[in-house]
Amino acid sequence: MRIVLLGAPGAGKGTQCKNIVAQYSLLHLSSGDILRQERAADTELGQKAQSYMDSGGLVPDEIIIEMMTKAITNAPAAGFLLDGFPRTVNQAVELEKSLADNEMTIDFVLNLHVDDDIVAKRITGRRSCPKCGAVYHIEHLKPKAEGICDNDDIELVQRPDDTPDVVANRLKTYHQQTEPLVDYYRKNGTVYDFDADRTPVEVRDSIFEKMNALVKA
Ligand code: AP5
Ligand code: MG
């Protein structure tokens, strides 16, 4: 299976990806996580991406497309789940070309809906593990020990782009540049919409129900 997961910042993409990849044995490819790893390792790519990420804008297409096509090439046969990529129509077109070169296509697109005011609350309460990338929330998804990752036993951190001003800009960027992608994918009839303003478990179950039906079809 080759899947794209769309949704605004804070819609719960990362949270649901963890569930989906565990259930269907897929590789989770998050462009945001890869960029953060590059930044942590202080690579040339990480340095180039820094100012765009910190302001809530998009990293230029050519950088992202090269980074993600390389990651996809190394994906296992079982398939992958793309989180945060593509994020512009141009990225989607280039992804399609690159997959076509390897006789592959995207099987379906999952789209998480949530209102902007909910996003702000979710994002300011988010805490992440700097090692494994696990995502928590100070109210909705608490770790077993406060402030500590369940998997790695290290202190959770807040993302530098999770401040109110940057979140507002990320939402603006999403509506201007990424939302048009939903219509782009809708034209070929592969988009499945989910109300993400429910508990993480309810959202997960609605995704599993749809995916199980798609896998059987
Ligand atoms: P990226 O890392 O992709 O960030 P994003 O799209 O802004 O999305 P988030 O990771 O903030 O949210 P999420 O939907 O994953 O939510 P989460 O599950 O964590 O990108 C970061 C930056 O990198 C971009 O701004 C850009 O600069 C650059 N970039 C990345 N990809 C790019 C591309 N393709 N092109 C160009 N630039 C690119 O959940 C959020 C919080 O809510 C958590 O605390 C979670 O516990 C909680 N939560 C989740 N679900 C629920 C629920 N149902 N109920 C209550 N709380 C919930
Ligand atoms: Mg995420």
Side-chain angles (χ1 to χ4, degrees):
M1 273 189 283
R2 290 175 288 273
I3 306 172
V4 168
L5 181 63
L6 296 177
K13 301 184 296 297
T15 303
Q16 295 304 331
C17 279
K18 300 276 178 224
N19 296 325
I20 299 169
V21 296
Q23 181 78 0
Y24 299 95
S25 305
L26 302 173
L27 179 67
H28 178 197
L29 290 173
S30 157
S31 48
D33 286 351
I34 297 174
L35 288 169
R36 280 182 285 279
Q37 283 157 14
E38 295 283 342
R39 283 184 64 169
D42 200 25
T43 64
E44 197 186 332
L45 170 55
Q47 287 169 10
K48 278 188 196 159
Q50 184 159 347
S51 63
Y52 302 101
M53 295 174 80
D54 288 348
S55 66
L58 293 184
V59 176
D61 279 355
E62 60 274 17
I63 297 179
I64 291 291
I65 290 162
E66 191 188 341
M67 178 183 95
M68 293 306 288
T69 46
K70 204 184 283 175
I72 287 168
T73 310
N74 298 323
F80 53 77
L81 173 61
L82 295 176
D83 163 8
F85 175 82
R87 225 175 177 101
T88 63
V89 171
N90 181 40
Q91 290 181 15
V93 170
E94 292 303 318
L95 169 65
E96 247 169 65
K97 281 189 205 160
S98 154
L99 290 175
D101 287 345
N102 296 294
E103 296 176 356
M104 293 191 279
T105 52
I106 293 296
D107 297 311
F108 41 89
V109 178
L110 310 176
N111 184 34
L112 301 182
H113 282 279
V114 72
D115 288 341
D116 288 6
D117 52 338
I118 292 171
V119 161
K121 282 188 205 139
R122 284 192 186 174
I123 287 188
T124 47
R126 169 168 52 196
R127 299 292 180 272
S128 325
C129 173
K131 192 168 175 204
C132 71
V135 177
Y136 302 88
H137 190 278
I138 51 173
E139 286 169 24
H140 311 299
L141 263 180
K142 296 180 183 177
K144 287 180 192 133
E146 195 181 324
I148 303 292
C149 179
D150 292 348
N151 308 322
D152 294 304
D153 208 22
I154 55 173
E155 207 165 323
L156 300 173
V157 295
Q158 209 168 357
R159 269 171 47 178
D161 59 344
D162 279 355
T163 60
D165 283 357
V166 180
V167 170
N169 211 21
R170 280 160 59 196
L171 278 168
K172 200 167 142 201
T173 304
Y174 168 77
H175 290 302
Q176 286 175 346
Q177 301 193 56
T178 307
E179 228 172 8
L181 254 187
V182 182
D183 282 337
Y184 171 84
Y185 279 122
R186 241 184 250 296
K187 284 185 191 130
N188 59 22
T190 53
V191 178
Y192 299 94
D193 296 292
F194 299 89
D195 172 10
D197 184 12
R198 294 178 285 171
T199 67
V201 169
E202 285 170 335
V203 178
R204 179 200 69 189
D205 289 348
S206 67
I207 294 174
F208 282 1
E209 194 184 334
K210 175 50 82 180
M211 285 189 59
N212 289 341
L214 289 166
V215 170
K216 274 193 205 141

